[in-house]
Amino acid sequence: MTRVFSGIQPTGNVHLGNVLGALVPWTEDQHRADSLFCVVDLHALTRPQDPDELRATTLRLTQILLAVGLDPEVCTLFVQSHVPQHAELAWLMECTAAYGELSRMTQFKDKSGKGGFVSAGLFTYPALMASDILLYDTDLVPVGDDQRQHVELTRDLAERFNSRYGPTFTVPQATFPKAGARIMDLQDPTAKMSKSEDQAPGTILLLDEPKSIEKKIKRAVTDTESEVRFDVAAKPGVSNLLSILGAATGRTPEEAAAGYEQYGPLKADTAAAVVERLAPIQARYAELAADPGETTRLLAVGAAKATELAAATVTRAKANIGLLPR
């Protein structure tokens, strides 16, 4: 059975783009593949974190994943730091990667170029991401375009390790969300919604109140024309609304455009569809938040399942590279 792995950092707040573009597809993947989904808290440490906030955010994100529809009886859901093999294999990947490869990673160049404290972990982050993927003999990795380069590096490291030390890792492939699920900022439809801008008027947060959602969509940027059609290049704002409406109602953006002649009704229907789509998720999240012990129990189950797989891979990798067994 095809194996899928993907992860999400416990930083910022989950927004509509995360839900419709990534998390809903995860809930679909779990029923057609052997799926592992991970809250990658070790990756969050590339920047200084408030310890109490990191713990709270990790738990909250897990509850959101469960509320969206991940089923621990169907998939494996766990926290990265609960499986120590992630950090252990990361060292082997750091020793397999070249300095030049890591220094060319676009995200490192972008983030380190902004000044301030730049951790060594930010530089070696792709080696840890490769470890995340390779630990589970992963076939497919659902990612956004910004992670394409990291998956390509993972493939290169797997092939290099296999060539040097013999068959060890499955070489994974990246998969990308369909265009209709690409949700952009409501005020700047050429940019993605941001997890870090909690109060941004262009970002709809998963836990936003209905009135806030309606207000943000009502004020969404469109254009000076009046025709409703899906055309990302010429009409990015309208196209974004159609993407949101389509994704929230199970249609393509082109199908969602049918019957609209004005922007007002399109915005009203989009807002109503989003509120309706998020309502059961918000209700389920409230139930889970009221019983954190159950979430902790489910994470322990997931970590045990993941550790069994990860331990076998690390044992194989250590033997092949020549480390003396304990």
Side-chain angles (χ1 to χ4, degrees), residues 138-217:
T138 301
D139 298 300
L140 301 176
V141 189
V143 292
D145 286 337
D146 58 341
Q147 294 292 335
R148 182 190 300 264
Q149 189 183 32
H150 289 162
V151 178
E152 286 302 313
L153 176 64
T154 300
R155 290 172 53 83
D156 291 342
L157 296 182
E159 291 172 346
R160 184 176 304 152
F161 196 101
N162 290 347
S163 177
R164 288 178 178 175
Y165 307 115
T168 307
F169 300 118
T170 298
V171 180
Q173 289 186 322
T175 62
F176 305 95
K178 57 186 179 181
R182 186 173 174 82
I183 308 303
M184 312 302 283
D185 189 284
L186 294 172
Q187 293 299 311
D188 180 7
T190 63
K192 293 193 300 182
M193 284 189 181
S194 172
K195 287 175 67 180
S196 60
E197 299 185 27
D198 297 352
Q199 305 302 320
T203 297
I204 296 174
L205 300 179
L206 172 62
L207 301 179
D208 272 348
E209 295 287 339
K211 288 188 179 300
S212 176
I213 295 172
E214 293 167 359
K215 180 179 179 180
K216 289 177 179 179
I217 293 179

Side-chain angles (χ1 to χ4, degrees), residues 96-141:
T96 304
Y99 174 86
E101 288 174 314
L102 296 179
S103 63
R104 287 192 295 271
M105 292 292 104
T106 302
Q107 285 203 11
F108 172 74
K109 291 192 290 186
D110 290 346
K111 293 179 180 178
S112 62
K114 295 178 181 178
F117 175 76
V118 179
S119 71
L122 183 63
F123 183 71
T124 59
Y125 164 97
L128 177 57
M129 182 172 172
S131 166
D132 300 336
I133 296 166
L134 298 178
L135 273 174
Y136 302 105
D137 294 321
T138 301
D139 298 300
L140 301 176
V141 189

Side-chain angles (χ1 to χ4, degrees), residues 29-292:
D29 285 339
Q30 69 180 339
H31 294 293
R32 55 185 176 225
D34 180 9
S35 300
L36 296 97
F37 300 113
C38 182
V39 179
V40 288
D41 54 343
L42 295 178
H43 286 298
L45 300 181
T46 58
R47 291 174 291 179
Q49 299 288 335
D50 176 270
D52 291 335
E53 178 61 21
L54 179 59
R55 279 187 286 268
T57 303
T58 300
L59 185 65
R60 181 168 65 246
L61 178 55
T62 302
Q63 291 165 340
I64 286 174
L65 296 177
L66 293 167
V68 170
L70 291 187
D71 184 348
E73 294 189 2
V74 177
C75 68
T76 302
L77 176 63
F78 63 103
V79 172
Q80 184 185 30
S81 64
H82 293 178
V83 182
Q85 287 81 8
H86 283 261
E88 188 173 10
L89 185 61
W91 177 247
L92 300 189
M93 292 300 99
E94 288 176 36
C95 294
T96 304
Y99 174 86
E101 288 174 314
L102 296 179
S103 63
R104 287 192 295 271
M105 292 292 104
T106 302
Q107 285 203 11
F108 172 74
K109 291 192 290 186
D110 290 346
K111 293 179 180 178
S112 62
K114 295 178 181 178
F117 175 76
V118 179
S119 71
L122 183 63
F123 183 71
T124 59
Y125 164 97
L128 177 57
M129 182 172 172
S131 166
D132 300 336
I133 296 166
L134 298 178
L135 273 174
Y136 302 105
D137 294 321
T138 301
D139 298 300
L140 301 176
V141 189
V143 292
D145 286 337
D146 58 341
Q147 294 292 335
R148 182 190 300 264
Q149 189 183 32
H150 289 162
V151 178
E152 286 302 313
L153 176 64
T154 300
R155 290 172 53 83
D156 291 342
L157 296 182
E159 291 172 346
R160 184 176 304 152
F161 196 101
N162 290 347
S163 177
R164 288 178 178 175
Y165 307 115
T168 307
F169 300 118
T170 298
V171 180
Q173 289 186 322
T175 62
F176 305 95
K178 57 186 179 181
R182 186 173 174 82
I183 308 303
M184 312 302 283
D185 189 284
L186 294 172
Q187 293 299 311
D188 180 7
T190 63
K192 293 193 300 182
M193 284 189 181
S194 172
K195 287 175 67 180
S196 60
E197 299 185 27
D198 297 352
Q199 305 302 320
T203 297
I204 296 174
L205 300 179
L206 172 62
L207 301 179
D208 272 348
E209 295 287 339
K211 288 188 179 300
S212 176
I213 295 172
E214 293 167 359
K215 180 179 179 180
K216 289 177 179 179
I217 293 179
K218 182 179 180 180
R219 296 183 177 180
V221 169
T222 50
D223 52 52
T224 57
E225 298 179 2
S226 58
E227 182 184 5
V228 177
R229 72 176 190 276
F230 185 71
D231 185 340
V232 174
K235 302 173 74 67
V238 174
S239 298
N240 189 38
L241 290 172
L242 291 171
S243 289
I244 294 171
L245 178 59
T249 57
R251 294 177 292 170
T252 66
E254 292 83 359
E255 291 170 341
Y260 290 103
E261 297 180 355
Q262 295 179 321
Y263 296 161
L266 171 62
K267 288 183 175 182
D269 287 354
T270 300
V274 170
V275 169
E276 182 178 359
R277 184 69 179 83
L278 295 185
I281 299 174
Q282 293 176 342
R284 177 60 179 148
Y285 169 78
E287 294 175 358
L288 291 162
D291 185 12

